[in-house]
Amino acid sequence: HEQKPWWKGISGPPKNDTTIMLQDPRDGPQLPFACLNMETWSVSKDTQPSHEGTPPSHWVTTPGAPLHGVDCVTMKECWEKRFLALFHEKPLPGQAHRLSFIKLFNLG
């Protein structure tokens, strides 16, 4: 009652129908404000997030900085304009969603 040896190819030819969909990693899942204690934000608040515990360099908006080009100020604005906009965006046919999960960081 021995099975036939699988290493002799009885399972069929190698699978070759794999499709790889690539996206620009700058569009997510790392959001520009991911290192700003985002996990503690209240996304319904119309206030700025606390700067406590984060380096001042993380808050600059100059070219090359993570927040360059970010047009939100409050936690609610960033949630709606940056996260939800990407999350609800419909992908083009044959492409993956731009944001299907987010990555949080702990720099401490």
Side-chain angles (χ1 to χ4, degrees):
H1 304 294
E2 194 173 297
Q3 288 186 335
K4 295 180 181 175
W6 60 266
W7 60 89
K8 291 188 177 179
I10 62 167
S11 61
K15 188 173 176 173
N16 64 358
D17 62 346
T18 302
T19 302
I20 298 175
M21 296 184 284
L22 300 176
Q23 293 284 339
D24 188 339
R26 293 173 290 185
D27 293 335
Q30 180 178 334
L31 297 170
F33 37 83
C35 297
L36 304 177
N37 295 330
M38 188 177 76
E39 69 278 5
T40 64
W41 289 13
S42 175
V43 297
S44 61
K45 286 193 176 179
D46 283 322
T47 59
Q48 283 189 328
S50 171
H51 290 214
E52 186 178 327
T54 55
S57 61
H58 289 182
W59 294 94
V60 298
T61 57
T62 55
L67 292 180
H68 176 68
V70 173
D71 59 348
C72 59
V73 177
T74 68
M75 293 178 269
K76 182 178 181 177
E77 253 186 337
C78 290
W79 177 255
E80 291 173 353
K81 284 184 172 181
R82 299 294 292 202
F83 175 78
L84 286 180
L86 290 174
F87 185 76
H88 290 299
E89 186 177 277
K90 298 283 185 211
L92 296 173
Q95 291 190 3
H97 288 274
R98 285 182 57 194
L99 188 64
S100 54
F101 68 94
I102 58 171
K103 183 174 182 178
L104 300 176
F105 294 84
N106 181 1
L107 300 177

